[in-house]
Amino acid sequence: MIIELESIFNNDGSSYPFDYELSLAHIEVSGAQPIKTPVSVKGCVKNNTGIVTLDATVKLQYSAQCDRCAEETEKTYEYEFSHNLIASLSNEDNDDSLLVSDMRLDLDELIEEDVNLELPTKFLCSEECKGVCSMCGKNLNKDQCDCKKPIDPRLEGLLQFLE
Ligand SMILES: [Zn+2]
Ligand SMILES: [Zn+2]
């Protein structure tokens, strides 16, 4: 989606709301494509006393294997993004301003960049995921196993003493 910004920049108080779906199915995270369904993008570009800002809320379904137990897991993430749009660079501008000198904003591209920065670097089915047994490979969230856990050599002496 391309937003033409000229009339927004020229009219104090004007705004341009948007609400659409965007496919990010091509984004790859460690060899898989976790965003299988279109993401919802809602927000607005507005001119408030000459300052043009873009606010967007992006909601997406993320499905991938848990990094600990490899169970296929789906989660919903919601991100909020905000950018100042500027028509030309000047000294007062800070780093998070977005330069739109041609008065066109490729919103799809911007949302994709923003989402890419927010995606989880570690993906777990739950914070308490117990993972898999390093010896028999059982998913310990579902099953207990009888494997003897390797004993810390510093504790071994103490255990012998207790027996
Ligand atoms: Zn897990
Ligand atoms: Zn085991």
Side-chain angles (χ1 to χ4, degrees), residues 34-35 39-40 57-64 73-80 115 118-125 127:
I35 310 171
V39 310
S40 134
T57 303
V58 176
K59 206 169 164 186
L60 60 90
Q61 296 288 108
Y62 189 95
S63 57
T73 302
E74 184 170 272
K75 283 187 186 179
T76 303
Y77 289 102
E78 193 169 305
Y79 304 120
E80 285 184 23
V115 165
E118 295 292 328
L119 290 178
T121 49
K122 195 175 183 194
F123 187 66
L124 297 178
C125 62
E127 282 305 312

Side-chain angles (χ1 to χ4, degrees), residues 14-143:
S14 64
S15 67
Y16 182 88
F18 49 85
D19 182 349
Y20 72 114
E21 289 197 328
L22 172 67
S23 169
L24 294 177
H26 55 278
I27 290 184
E28 282 202 12
V29 180
S30 38
Q33 295 173 322
I35 310 171
K36 295 176 176 64
T37 53
V39 310
S40 134
V41 182
K42 268 183 212 174
C44 185
V45 180
K46 56 176 174 287
N47 181 334
N48 185 5
T49 61
I51 297 167
V52 179
T53 51
L54 169 126
D55 291 293
T57 303
V58 176
K59 206 169 164 186
L60 60 90
Q61 296 288 108
Y62 189 95
S63 57
Q65 290 188 336
C66 169
D67 287 340
R68 262 185 220 155
C69 70
E71 187 78 3
E72 194 68 26
T73 302
E74 184 170 272
K75 283 187 186 179
T76 303
Y77 289 102
E78 193 169 305
Y79 304 120
E80 285 184 23
F81 304 113
S82 188
H83 297 277
N84 273 331
L85 304 184
I86 51 169
S88 62
L89 283 173
S90 74
N91 293 331
E92 314 117 64
D93 295 319
N94 52 28
D95 294 338
D96 40 57
S97 294
L98 193 73
L99 181 65
V100 283
S101 44
D102 61 354
M103 287 292 134
R104 286 162 69 86
L105 175 70
D106 187 335
L107 190 59
D108 299 353
E109 195 181 280
L110 180 69
I111 295 295
E112 182 169 342
E113 277 171 26
D114 283 343
V115 165
N116 251 319
L117 294 173
E118 295 292 328
L119 290 178
T121 49
K122 195 175 183 194
F123 187 66
L124 297 178
C125 62
S126 109
E127 282 305 312
E128 288 84 44
C129 175
K130 297 188 187 84
V132 293
C133 170
S134 57
M135 301 174 81
C136 70
K138 244 181 203 164
N139 182 338
L140 298 177
N141 299 308
K142 295 177 176 166
D143 250 326

